[in-house]
Amino acid sequence: MTFSITARCPETGQFGIAITSSSIAVASRCSFARAGVGAVATQNITDPRLGPLGLDLMEGGVGAEAALANLLDGYRDAEFRQLALVDKQGDVAHFSGAHTLGTHAVAIGPGAVAAGNLLAGTGVPAAMLARFEATTGDSFAERLLAALDAGLVAGGEEGPIHSAGLLVVEAEAWPLIDLRVDWAAPDAPLEELRKLWQAWQPLMRDYVQRALDPGQAPAFGVPGDR
């Protein structure tokens, strides 16, 4: 019921996840990233605890593969989970348990892993990764969104998608980008997510500056603002 791409940008050091699902509010439960550390997508019959735990492990100095092994060690419900991790070196790891739903697949490349379950076909993650790798001239966020679009064109899920999210971290403790479409008409959330991105992109650096240096930050441009 979900397909996603989890990646690191070698040029900027950003980590990000783009994700979509037939389920409501997928990004709130499945996408986790931490600046300077890595990113974890935890999906299928989701356990949101695994995201922060994986990030804690990688922040403690272990790579993606070791973090994944640690998460799975002694974890009784592992066979119900699908996980994708990327660490600060750009190394990736993934796992799809025996009870991963429906048709499922994973595709990996340098600093990126695409994964999905209840897919229309096994080629969906490979199509996502190919688009991500082909859009190197675009911003990291644009590349992640392009990967989602490619996944949908390749067939997406067996049924219609309803929610989507884009999460990118860079240098601060809070996300540079955290945009979510929690529920939309069938197969419409990616279009809605891109509209949010287009509105957020020209303002996102301003919001960072307002946090770090409010005296020099640009005005809001709203009635009553001085």
Side-chain angles (χ1 to χ4, degrees):
M1 63 182 70
T2 302
F3 56 95
S4 67
I5 184 164
T6 304
R8 175 183 179 272
C9 176
E11 287 78 24
T12 64
Q14 294 173 342
F15 294 97
I17 298 173
I19 191 166
T20 188
S21 177
S22 56
S23 297
I24 192 169
V26 63
S28 69
R29 296 173 285 104
C30 298
S31 301
F32 300 87
R34 192 174 298 168
V37 176
V40 180
T42 168
Q43 55 195 52
N44 198 56
I45 303 170
T46 308
D47 183 350
R49 296 173 296 178
L50 298 178
L53 286 173
L55 292 173
D56 288 346
L57 288 164
M58 290 190 286
E59 189 166 23
V62 305
E65 286 283 2
L68 177 61
N70 192 296
L71 288 175
L72 298 177
D73 185 26
Y75 177 50
R76 68 176 188 180
D77 295 323
E79 298 304 329
F80 293 91
R81 316 303 183 190
Q82 188 176 50
L83 295 163
L85 299 81
V86 59
D87 63 30
K88 64 183 179 181
Q89 306 301 327
D91 294 327
V92 302
H94 63 87
F95 173 78
S96 298
H99 298 309
T100 302
L101 297 170
T103 298
H104 56 89
V106 176
I108 60 172
V113 52
N117 56 80
L118 277 180
L119 299 171
T122 57
V124 172
M128 296 173 68
L129 185 66
R131 177 69 65 83
F132 178 76
E133 293 179 339
T135 54
T136 54
D138 294 334
S139 72
F140 183 53
E142 288 282 357
R143 296 174 66 199
L144 293 171
L145 290 174
L148 279 190
D149 290 339
L152 186 60
V153 170
E157 288 192 39
E158 286 191 18
I161 54 173
H162 285 284
S163 69
L166 174 66
L167 175 65
V168 175
V169 297
E170 188 176 68
E172 310 305 332
W174 65 90
L176 179 66
I177 306 164
D178 189 1
L179 304 176
R180 302 175 184 181
V181 177
D182 286 339
W183 189 256
D187 290 335
L190 299 192
E191 180 181 353
E192 295 300 316
L193 184 61
R194 187 167 288 279
K195 289 178 182 178
L196 285 174
W197 165 239
Q198 290 168 348
W200 176 254
Q201 182 180 20
L203 301 172
M204 65 181 182
R205 298 291 176 187
D206 293 345
Y207 282 103
V208 174
Q209 189 175 21
R210 286 171 184 146
L212 301 180
D213 190 6
Q216 300 300 315
F220 288 93
V222 297
D225 185 25
R226 295 189 170 53

